[in-house]
Amino acid sequence: MYRLIKPIFFQFEPEKVHHFVVRRLKWFHEYFPMGSRILRSCYGVNISGLEKEVFGIRFPNPVGLAAGFDKNGEYIEALSDLGFGFIEVGTVTPLPQPGNDKPRMFRLPADSALINRMGFNNKGVDTLAERLRLLKSRNKRIVVGGNIGKNKNTPNEDATSDYIKCFDALFDVVDYFVVNVSSPNTPGLRALQEKAPLMELLHTLQQRNHKNGISRPILLKIAPDLTHEQLDDIVEIVLQTRIAGVIATNTTIDRNGLYSSPKLKEETGGLSGKPLTQRSTEVIRYLSEKSGKAFPIIGVGGIHSAKDARDKLAAGASLVQIYTGFIYEGPGLVREICKGLSD
């Protein structure tokens, strides 16, 4: 069915289509008679042997939804009907912010890719925390990650304060945290990936994490554009700060090898989808081998098939996440990957 609908969707602006689809998905889940059961029957995953424990959390299956799709945690229960083993919300910031000017998302069909420069548009961490609090009171079985960032107007020297605010607000309502310092769409944010500021940020969060004798896994999301020397630093930082692991990778600023028109390729922002498949797998393999598999990795970037997911896992990932592949291949992708992993 998605193959028939997709050409229609692709006639309209990506961001408008996104909001249209997820709102109707939520409506179907909540108000259509037996809507949730129908969605689970069509797309849910009920395959034994896929359960996996990673950084102390039990995941029903290893396929998650990457951050950015449900920034404000508005559609978690409806999205979980589509078979996801876990859902990552955000990136969220302390204060609400509108993000960058529209249009800010672009399809590259010739490359099965997207370019986005959303700019951490979200309703603020307090709104997200309240929504997750209500979710947890109703449904404790959905694994939810909280992806946290800084507001655009916060200078980098004060960034740690923003991350702490988000961390404290979400501590009781998420299962794990992701520190996002790798988005290309907030000016200066990627400078926080440098060794000194990143070490300070993660040390501070870890101190906060253990202050009451209760902790949450903290992961670091990194860019695919890092050099081997920078990846070596990431390994050292993860081991020294003892955070739980890494998400590899975020979107790329590289435009090499694209088939799309020059006009599309020149749009600023982060590129995701099939052009990222190989590079993200290379980063996963490098981190896994360099660290001696010392920490878990969530693999994300260009997963459009079960084979893509298997390649990420074979390279050293413990779990995978999808986003752009979900848009291009449709809601059946989660089940397809899970069936492929169980064969």
Side-chain angles (χ1 to χ4, degrees):
M1 180 183 290
Y2 187 73
R3 290 181 181 178
L4 299 176
I5 300 173
K6 176 181 162 183
I8 300 173
F9 286 163
F10 275 37
Q11 295 300 310
F12 299 92
E13 291 183 15
E15 191 170 352
K16 288 182 178 179
V17 171
H18 174 81
H19 290 302
F20 175 85
V21 170
V22 293
R23 285 168 182 162
R24 273 133 193 91
L25 177 67
K26 182 177 181 179
W27 177 88
F28 191 83
H29 166 89
E30 292 184 352
Y31 300 113
F32 191 85
M34 300 180 67
S36 180
R37 185 173 296 183
I38 293 171
L39 288 171
R40 289 182 177 276
S41 175
C42 293
Y43 301 110
V45 175
N46 187 21
I47 302 172
S48 61
L50 291 178
E51 299 85 0
K52 202 166 190 180
E53 184 169 322
V54 184
F55 39 80
I57 298 174
R58 192 73 180 173
F59 294 85
N61 71 64
V63 184
L65 180 64
F69 198 92
D70 186 9
K71 292 175 181 291
N72 299 299
E74 297 173 275
Y75 311 105
I76 294 172
E77 289 177 294
L79 288 166
S80 72
D81 287 342
L82 305 182
F84 288 105
F86 59 108
I87 292 173
E88 194 171 304
V89 296
T91 297
V92 68
T93 55
L95 299 176
Q97 60 182 28
N100 295 320
D101 294 339
K102 299 178 182 179
R104 53 195 181 183
M105 181 177 285
F106 307 88
R107 299 187 197 92
L108 287 72
D111 296 291
S112 296
L114 295 173
I115 290 175
N116 92 82
R117 51 172 180 265
M118 303 300 289
F120 288 175
N121 57 305
N122 72 103
K123 297 179 180 179
V125 73
D126 290 339
T127 297
L128 176 60
E130 181 58 30
R131 188 167 284 130
L132 293 180
R133 197 168 288 112
L134 292 172
L135 172 70
K136 289 291 183 180
S137 69
R138 294 193 306 268
N139 193 333
K140 297 184 182 298
R141 64 178 175 77
I142 302 175
V143 178
V144 177
N147 188 302
I148 58 177
K150 78 173 188 71
N151 280 112
K152 180 178 181 178
N153 293 331
T154 301
N156 277 7
E157 54 267 28
D158 298 327
T160 297
S161 176
D162 273 16
Y163 286 94
I164 288 174
K165 289 174 184 175
C166 292
F167 185 83
D168 288 349
L170 297 180
F171 188 86
D172 293 328
V173 292
V174 299
D175 297 290
Y176 69 89
F177 282 97
V178 179
V179 177
N180 188 351
V181 292
S182 52
S183 170
N185 301 319
T186 295
L189 183 72
R190 284 191 168 191
L192 294 175
Q193 290 182 116
E194 295 301 324
K195 189 173 183 179
L198 186 54
M199 188 80 79
E200 178 186 355
L201 171 60
L202 295 178
H203 266 308
T204 302
L205 289 175
Q206 279 290 61
Q207 290 172 359
R208 202 86 172 178
N209 197 20
H210 296 290
K211 69 174 184 178
N212 294 320
I214 303 172
S215 63
R216 297 277 185 268
I218 297 175
L219 291 88
L220 174 68
K221 189 164 188 175
I222 64 171
D225 309 306
L226 300 179
T227 65
H228 282 180
E229 291 75 14
Q230 289 173 313
L231 290 174
D232 292 343
D233 286 343
I234 294 297
V235 171
E236 182 180 346
I237 289 166
V238 172
L239 296 177
Q240 286 193 19
T241 59
R242 298 185 179 181
I243 63 169
V246 169
I247 296 186
T249 61
N250 211 320
T251 57
T252 181
I253 57 175
D254 185 27
R255 298 291 190 268
N256 289 326
L258 297 182
Y259 298 103
S260 296
S261 68
K263 182 180 178 181
L264 275 176
K265 290 191 288 186
E266 290 169 4
E267 294 288 353
T268 59
L271 175 74
S272 60
K274 284 191 176 181
L276 196 53
T277 304
Q278 182 177 344
R279 177 55 186 165
S280 62
T281 304
E282 289 172 353
V283 172
I284 292 165
R285 182 174 290 109
Y286 187 89
L287 291 174
S288 179
E289 292 178 354
K290 189 72 177 182
S291 68
K293 301 182 179 180
F295 48 80
I297 300 169
I298 297 180
V300 55
I303 298 176
H304 287 243
S305 67
K307 179 185 181 302
D308 294 335
R310 285 196 300 269
D311 289 345
K312 294 278 192 289
L313 296 170
S318 300
L319 305 165
V320 295
Q321 291 178 325
I322 62 174
Y323 185 129
T324 304
F326 186 54
I327 293 170
Y328 274 90
E329 311 304 331
L333 181 59
V334 183
R335 179 182 277 187
E336 175 192 331
I337 291 173
C338 287
K339 288 179 68 175
L341 296 179
S342 67
D343 291 342

